[in-house]
Amino acid sequence: GDREHAARALRRSARADVAARLRLDRRADTTTVVEATARHLGMPQEALQELLDDHRPPASDQELVGLAQELARLRREVRRG
């Protein structure tokens, strides 16, 4: 549905942005972006995989807003590095 489409677009954009900041190919797959981000931030890969992977669409508009906020936070953390 619409939430699923929006979540995919948010995640795809975040993956591309993070990949570019980490000097990866903007089209790098999720696993590559997760591994590089985990190394860069010293975070567990599992948490990043959960955030960046299109495995589960948000169940509500509130979850979608939460996802957008988490992705924005991740982008800021990667920028600060």
Side-chain angles (χ1 to χ4, degrees):
D2 290 340
R3 275 193 302 265
E4 183 175 2
H5 178 75
R8 277 198 189 126
L10 286 168
R11 286 177 167 134
R12 183 173 40 249
S13 175
R15 285 191 304 261
D17 186 44
V18 168
R21 294 213 174 261
L22 297 179
R23 300 191 190 314
L24 302 171
D25 186 314
R26 289 184 66 86
R27 294 164 296 165
D29 65 24
T30 302
T31 301
T32 301
V33 175
V34 165
E35 289 171 354
T37 306
R39 278 193 308 274
H40 182 72
L41 296 177
M43 289 179 67
Q45 288 186 23
E46 295 77 23
L48 291 165
Q49 187 76 34
E50 179 85 12
L51 180 60
L52 291 171
D53 190 24
D54 289 321
H55 65 288
R56 184 181 66 83
S60 67
D61 290 346
Q62 187 174 6
E63 277 189 26
L64 181 61
V65 169
L67 173 64
Q69 291 170 338
E70 288 181 55
L71 291 169
R73 189 174 316 119
L74 177 64
R75 285 173 153 156
R76 286 192 302 272
E77 289 176 18
V78 169
R79 274 195 298 270
R80 281 194 296 253

